[in-house]
Amino acid sequence: MKKFLLILTFVFLGCEKESNQIVIGFFGALTGTEATFGVSSKNGITLALEEINLAGGLLGKKVEMKSYDTLGSLDETKLSVERLIKTDHAVAVIGEVASSRSLVAAPIFQKLGVPMVTPSSTNPDITKMGDYIFRVCFIDPFQGEVMAKFASQSLKFKTAAILRDSQSQYSMGLANYFIKTFTALGGTILADEKYISGDIDFQPQLLKMRKKNPDFIFVPGYYSEVAMIARQSRDLGFTGPLMGGDGWDDLKNLTAIAGNSINGSYFSNHYTLENPDPEVQKFITVFEKRFGVKPDSQAALGYDAARIIFDAIRRKNSVDTKKIRDGLAETRNFKGITGTISINQDRDAVKPAVVLQVKNGNFSFVETVGP
Ligand code: PHE
C-alpha cells in the first residue's frame, strides 16, 4: 500500500512538472468604483478560453487563466503582476484596464521579459515602456481628436468646459488631446476644472462652469463619477450635453445613477452592439447566454486580447515568452470583435472608433471614425 502511494505521488509530481497547461494571466479591478472594467474584461477572456479549450486547446495543451483583483490600487497592481510572473509563470498577461495602473505594471513586465497586452488602456505612454508591452485598443490622441472633430464639425459647437480627474493619467491625457484639436478647429475652452476619483460633490466646479455657459462639458472620466457629474450638472441648470471617452462604458451603472440627466450626451468607444457584422452579433449572443449581460467594450476587448495571444502562440508554435512577444508584434489584420487588429511599430492597434449617444437608457450608434 505504502509503495503504491509513493508511486502515485511520483506520477502526480511528474504530471505537475510536464505541465499540460498554458497559463495566461489577468489583472484588473474586480471590485470598487471601476469593478465593471475588470469583471467585463475577465468575462471576455473566459469566453475566449472556453472556446479554445472546447476546440482542443492550444499546441495540444489546455489554456488556463490565473487572475488577480487589483482593487483599483497601484500597490496591489504591482503585487498582482509579480505573482502572475513569479508564482504562476504566466507566459503572457492581459491587463490592466485603467491607464494609471497599466503604467505602473508595464515596467515590471518589460524588466522580466513577459508580454503584457492591455486590452483597453488608451494612454499613449504605456506601450512606450518597452518592446514587451502591447495593446489591442486605439490610443487617446486619436480618441480625443475624434470627439473634438465630432463636437466642432458635426455638432458645430464653439465653446467647451473641461472637467477632468487630476489623478488619472487617462483623464488628464485625453483632456489634453481633446483640447488640442478642439482649439485648432477654432473652439474655445471656457473652463478647465479638476476632481479626484472617489469625489461625490462636483457642484463647486460645475457652478463655475455654468456661469460661463459653454455649449458642452467634456468629461473624460470613468462611469461612476461621470454619472454623478451628469446629475449634478442638470440640477444646477446646465442643459447642454456632456461628452467623453471610453471610460463611460457601463450602461447599467451610468444610467442607474445619472437617470435621464445623461440622455443626449455623447462619448467615443471601441465597439457598438449595433454592428451588423455576423461575427460580432454571434459574439454578443454567445456572451449574453454565458454571462447574462450584453458584452460592453471591455468584454469585447478582453476577448480580442486573449485571441491575439492565442494566435501569436499558434503562429510561433511556442510558449516561450520571447517568441510570443515576436508573434504579437507580427500581428496583422487579425479579425477581432472590436475591429481588425494590426499591431504597428509602437505596439499599438490602429483601429476605428465609434461615437455613441446615450438615448432612452441605451447607447445608440452615431458614427464610425476611421484612424
Ligand atoms: N481607456 C481607459 C483607460 O485607459 C479604460 C477603459 C477602456 C474604460 C474601455 C472603459 C472602457 O484608462
Side-chain angles (χ1 to χ4, degrees):
M1 184 62 187
K2 244 188 190 166
K3 219 173 173 185
F4 175 72
L5 276 178
L6 208 68
I7 291 169
L8 209 72
T9 315
F10 274 125
V11 169
F12 179 70
L13 285 174
C15 282
E16 275 258 304
K17 233 176 165 188
E18 253 181 53
S19 170
N20 243 344
Q21 290 177 338
I22 297 177
V23 178
I24 301 289
F26 170 75
F27 63 113
L30 296 164
T31 50
T33 57
E34 288 147 31
T36 308
F37 294 172
V39 172
S40 285
S41 314
K42 191 180 168 187
N43 287 346
I45 301 165
T46 300
L47 186 61
L49 230 83
E50 289 173 355
E51 285 178 359
I52 198 154
N53 286 333
L54 210 67
L58 199 52
L59 313 185
K61 296 180 179 188
K62 207 170 155 246
V63 187
E64 209 209 318
M65 167 170 46
K66 292 276 185 211
S67 92
Y68 292 98
D69 183 357
T70 62
L71 310 170
S73 124
L74 296 181
D75 286 340
E76 197 61 33
T77 298
K78 289 185 204 155
L79 288 175
S80 303
V81 171
E82 299 264 339
R83 281 187 204 117
L84 283 167
I85 299 175
K86 293 182 179 160
T87 313
D88 304 320
H89 304 291
V91 294
V93 176
I94 301 167
E96 232 263 10
V97 172
S99 287
S100 297
R101 295 191 287 273
S102 286
L103 280 163
V104 305
I108 309 174
F109 284 103
Q110 185 62 32
K111 194 171 135 217
L112 298 177
V114 173
M116 158 178 153
V117 180
T118 173
S120 43
S121 286
T122 43
N123 183 286
D125 295 339
I126 296 160
T127 44
K128 290 184 186 144
M129 298 284 179
D131 61 352
Y132 274 82
I133 317 300
F134 297 85
R135 80 178 102 220
V136 292
C137 55
F138 53 63
I139 56 174
D140 288 331
F142 170 66
Q143 181 172 205
E145 189 182 309
V146 165
M147 287 318 276
K149 282 189 175 159
F150 180 71
S152 177
Q153 296 171 343
S154 302
L155 302 178
K156 312 275 181 231
F157 284 157
K158 301 261 180 291
T159 57
I162 314 283
L163 186 48
R164 50 170 132 177
D165 180 347
S166 62
Q167 282 184 351
S168 152
Q169 309 263 11
Y170 160 72
S171 192
M172 291 303 284
L174 182 52
N176 290 339
Y177 302 117
F178 171 84
I179 292 169
K180 199 169 156 219
T181 306
F182 189 67
T183 51
L185 292 170
T188 309
I189 307 298
L190 299 179
D192 187 352
E193 295 290 330
K194 315 257 181 338
Y195 65 89
I196 294 174
S197 64
D199 281 357
I200 50 169
D201 180 12
F202 304 89
Q203 298 198 42
Q205 298 97 314
L206 290 167
L207 271 171
K208 278 194 216 161
M209 292 179 178
R210 231 210 81 196
K211 284 192 199 122
K212 311 212 165 135
N213 201 24
D215 291 333
F216 65 100
I217 307 174
F218 189 64
V219 193
Y222 296 143
Y223 61 89
S224 297
E225 285 88 13
V226 171
M228 289 184 272
I229 290 167
R231 184 170 275 275
Q232 292 173 27
S233 72
R234 288 288 177 268
D235 289 347
L236 293 176
F238 180 74
T239 53
L242 263 50
M243 296 177 88
D246 56 345
W248 284 30
D249 189 3
D250 178 341
L251 180 67
K252 202 169 137 240
N253 283 304
L254 191 69
T255 50
I257 299 165
N260 280 334
S261 51
I262 193 84
N263 245 342
S265 289
Y266 299 94
F267 69 105
S268 45
N269 205 4
H270 304 272
Y271 112 115
T272 167
L273 294 168
E274 292 174 58
N275 185 341
D277 183 317
E279 279 179 46
V280 175
Q281 287 306 321
K282 188 177 149 222
F283 166 74
I284 295 169
T285 310
V286 172
F287 186 96
E288 192 174 10
K289 211 168 145 203
R290 172 71 174 80
F291 298 105
V293 285
K294 288 204 160 58
D296 53 22
S297 67
Q298 300 113 76
L301 287 165
Y303 184 78
D304 283 351
R307 289 178 68 236
I308 73 154
I309 291 173
F310 300 162
D311 183 57
I313 292 174
R314 198 182 286 123
R315 273 187 283 113
K316 290 293 167 184
N317 194 23
S318 170
V319 287
D320 174 68
T321 53
K322 167 82 172 69
K323 295 222 172 91
I324 298 175
R325 191 226 76 86
D326 294 345
L328 286 167
E330 289 159 14
T331 302
R332 298 288 179 277
N333 297 319
F334 181 88
K335 189 150 186 329
I337 297 302
T338 58
T340 302
I341 299 166
S342 290
I343 297 296
N344 69 8
Q345 60 196 25
D346 300 323
R347 293 166 305 282
D348 297 327
V350 183
K351 306 152 72 186
V354 293
V355 177
L356 304 179
Q357 184 177 32
V358 190
K359 224 178 182 175
N360 310 321
N362 257 312
F363 291 158
S364 168
F365 173 73
V366 179
E367 64 177 26
T368 301
V369 184

